Amino acid sequence: MTTFDDRERAYEAKFAHDADLRFKAEARRNRLLGEWAAELLGKSGEDVRTYAMSVVSSDFEEPGDEDVYRKLAGDLEGRADAETIRAKMAEMMAEARRQIIEELD
């Protein structure tokens, strides 16, 4: 096996690992967003978990974050504006990444 082959395999492995971590962080962010939104909606108990999972599922509609944003914006109409939702999305992504990294250590 050549050095080039080794480098190529290492690059592919890193790419796959990074993609896996990104997927996990986005799913975690969406769950955290769902829990936040559920609180704003006055949900409690199992309803919080169910709603959070619906936010996670909404991310599979299309690539990117707009599908999650649309779900939250529609559900939180009158309770949170676009700026608040987008800020919370960024905040929860940072928190999700922090949690994932802590779990890896």
Side-chain angles (χ1 to χ4, degrees):
M1 186 172 298
T2 67
T3 302
F4 180 76
D5 291 335
D6 291 342
R7 286 185 185 169
E8 184 176 17
R9 280 186 177 62
Y11 179 77
E12 289 171 356
K14 182 182 179 339
F15 181 82
H17 177 72
D18 290 350
D20 183 53
L21 290 179
R22 189 171 37 257
F23 175 79
K24 287 178 181 178
E26 287 174 358
R28 176 82 53 98
R29 178 212 52 196
N30 294 339
R31 183 181 54 82
L32 293 170
L33 283 168
E35 291 170 355
W36 166 75
E39 183 178 322
L40 290 179
L41 294 168
K43 297 183 182 298
S44 62
E46 187 62 27
D47 289 340
V48 171
R49 183 183 173 289
T50 301
Y51 181 78
M53 295 318 302
S54 76
V55 174
V56 171
S57 297
S58 73
D59 196 21
F60 298 116
E61 293 175 14
E62 65 185 47
D65 296 334
E66 287 305 304
D67 44 1
V68 174
Y69 170 77
R70 276 194 308 276
K71 163 118 178 97
L72 292 170
D75 293 349
L76 296 176
E77 191 171 338
R79 291 185 174 92
D81 62 10
E83 185 177 321
T84 301
I85 294 168
R86 292 204 186 273
K88 190 56 86 167
M89 289 175 77
E91 176 188 333
M92 293 302 183
M93 182 54 109
E95 175 62 18
R97 285 182 178 144
R98 185 192 64 74
Q99 289 178 9
I100 297 291
I101 289 169
E102 275 185 10
E103 290 171 5
L104 292 174
D105 290 339

